[in-house]
Amino acid sequence: MKRRIAFALAGIALCLGLGRTAAAADSFPSKPVTIIVGVAPGGSLDALARLLATELGKVTNNTFVVENVTGAGGLLGFQRLTRSPADGYTLMFSNQSMVLIPLLYPKAGLDIVKDTTAIGTVANVPMVLSVSNQSGIQDLPSMLKGMRSGALKLYFGSGGPGTTAHLAEALFLQMAGVKAELIQYRGSGPAITDLMGGTIQAVLDQTVTMLPLHKGKQVKAIAVASKERLPQMPDVPTFAEGGVPQFDLQIWNGLVGPKGMPKDVVAKLADAVSKAVQTPAFRERIDTLAARVPSPEERNPAAFTNTLKRDQKQFADLARKIGLEPR
């Protein structure tokens, strides 16, 4: 008798729990959602996150707040995410650099696939090589010639160890067969500030941040990672035109949550992302930044999960090739 009562009570508790979960999913989102960004304000990742947050707020009639959690190339932001409740109210906006964090900090015990819930990709962005106006560099071929002869010593700035800029710069230098000093900052924003000031001579970052600066003549873009010249910056040659055809790095930017998020909440967020990236304001802004919104087949949670799995393997191989050392 007692056993039957226990089973009955357990069943009631389970039903109540499922009811609460369903109710929570039905009302989601009912309070502000935090989007963690693992770098300092001012860079391309932060700019895209704020654009997405604005549009998500419009399509959900809710508030999405960007929180910059900087340090250790995004590790602190990743840890903040994994320690958050899996209820959909704490998310993280990141790019390929997130895949590198477990490789750079193996002692942290993080796994990009196992410790996150993929929600969707938002934009694919070409990388562009820019130099300071004070550097005197006019184009990629002359820059490479000077570096190979030893007449030109350059300082490249990036947003910190394991960021996309760090990865891109190390890969570019390897492919071009040249050497330079890699200076690590706490986010691409501070690196770009020093680039404009002439403290460093070069930065490889996404068009999201570099295109406006090139158009404003605050820096000079000399090569873009695309098959053809971009309509938004037709005066900038491709890396192939500059003599490094194998460099064609484009960066995905996407939204993830902690592991174990309810499927209904994931579906609601994925749908909100899909609507946000199709708004005229988002499309217009992405186009002006020379980025591309992925197709629905590319940006859904299942496709994004596959992208994370693919990059997890590919980036492990790449990290070994370019000498990224665990910390």
Side-chain angles (χ1 to χ4, degrees):
M1 183 67 177
K2 289 182 179 180
R3 190 174 182 181
R4 285 198 297 271
I5 293 173
F7 276 125
L9 290 174
I12 292 171
L14 178 60
C15 290
L16 289 173
L18 291 174
R20 283 194 295 270
T21 301
D26 289 342
S27 63
F28 181 88
S30 59
K31 62 181 181 179
V33 176
T34 296
I35 299 179
I36 298 167
V37 175
V39 297
S44 56
L45 189 65
D46 179 73
L48 273 175
R50 293 179 186 279
L51 176 60
L52 177 64
T54 298
E55 296 308 310
L56 283 173
K58 293 177 183 177
V59 300
T60 63
N61 196 29
N62 190 60
T63 302
F64 285 75
V65 180
V66 172
E67 178 184 345
N68 297 88
V69 182
T70 64
L75 173 63
L76 299 187
F78 196 170
Q79 289 176 324
R80 161 95 159 78
L81 176 75
T82 60
R83 293 167 183 164
S84 301
D87 55 8
Y89 287 99
T90 304
L91 309 172
M92 186 169 186
F93 188 77
S94 192
N95 51 33
Q96 263 106 333
S97 62
M98 194 175 188
V99 182
L100 286 170
I101 293 173
L103 301 175
L104 288 168
Y105 302 95
K107 293 180 181 178
L110 298 173
D111 186 293
I112 185 63
V113 175
K114 295 179 180 178
D115 294 329
T116 66
T117 298
I119 295 167
T121 48
V122 170
N124 294 327
V125 190
M127 299 296 281
V128 57
L129 174 60
S130 300
V131 296
S132 68
N133 293 327
Q134 297 90 328
S135 69
I137 298 169
Q138 297 301 313
D139 53 45
L140 181 55
S142 62
M143 186 187 89
L144 293 175
K145 182 178 179 180
M147 294 175 75
R148 287 166 181 157
S149 69
L152 187 61
K153 183 177 180 180
L154 295 186
Y155 291 91
F156 276 69
S158 78
T163 58
T164 54
H166 180 207
L167 171 71
E169 288 168 358
L171 182 61
F172 164 70
L173 293 173
Q174 182 196 55
M175 289 181 170
V178 293
K179 294 183 179 180
E181 294 290 331
L182 298 182
I183 310 300
Q184 308 300 337
Y185 290 81
R186 290 176 66 88
S188 58
I192 292 168
T193 297
D194 273 5
L195 178 71
M196 291 188 290
T199 303
I200 55 176
Q201 292 76 45
V203 163
L204 237 173
D205 211 322
Q206 301 177 54
T207 53
V208 171
T209 44
M210 306 316 299
L211 174 58
L213 298 178
H214 173 71
K215 286 187 172 182
K217 301 187 183 303
Q218 294 166 283
V219 301
K220 180 178 179 62
I222 61 172
V224 63
S226 58
K227 300 297 183 184
E228 300 176 347
R229 293 196 185 196
L230 299 175
Q232 297 88 343
M233 44 198 322
D235 58 324
V236 181
T238 65
F239 276 92
E241 291 179 89
V244 192
Q246 63 272 44
F247 187 82
D248 186 23
L249 185 61
Q250 301 209 17
I251 304 301
W252 56 254
N253 294 260
L255 195 65
V256 299
K259 67 178 179 181
M261 285 177 56
K263 292 182 179 180
D264 289 349
V265 171
V266 174
K268 278 199 166 188
L269 282 167
D271 181 63
V273 168
S274 187
K275 290 176 180 176
V277 300
Q278 293 181 70
T279 60
F282 192 91
R283 288 276 183 172
E284 181 180 350
R285 182 62 175 151
I286 285 295
D287 184 63
T288 61
L289 296 172
R292 180 179 69 86
V293 173
S295 67
E297 294 75 21
E298 293 176 275
R299 67 174 178 256
N300 63 55
F304 192 16
T305 298
N306 290 333
T307 296
L308 293 176
K309 290 178 179 178
R310 179 201 68 196
D311 284 359
Q312 187 177 53
K313 181 181 184 304
Q314 290 182 345
F315 277 40
D317 296 337
L318 179 59
R320 286 190 292 270
K321 288 180 181 178
I322 65 176
L324 288 179
E325 298 292 335
R327 287 163 172 75

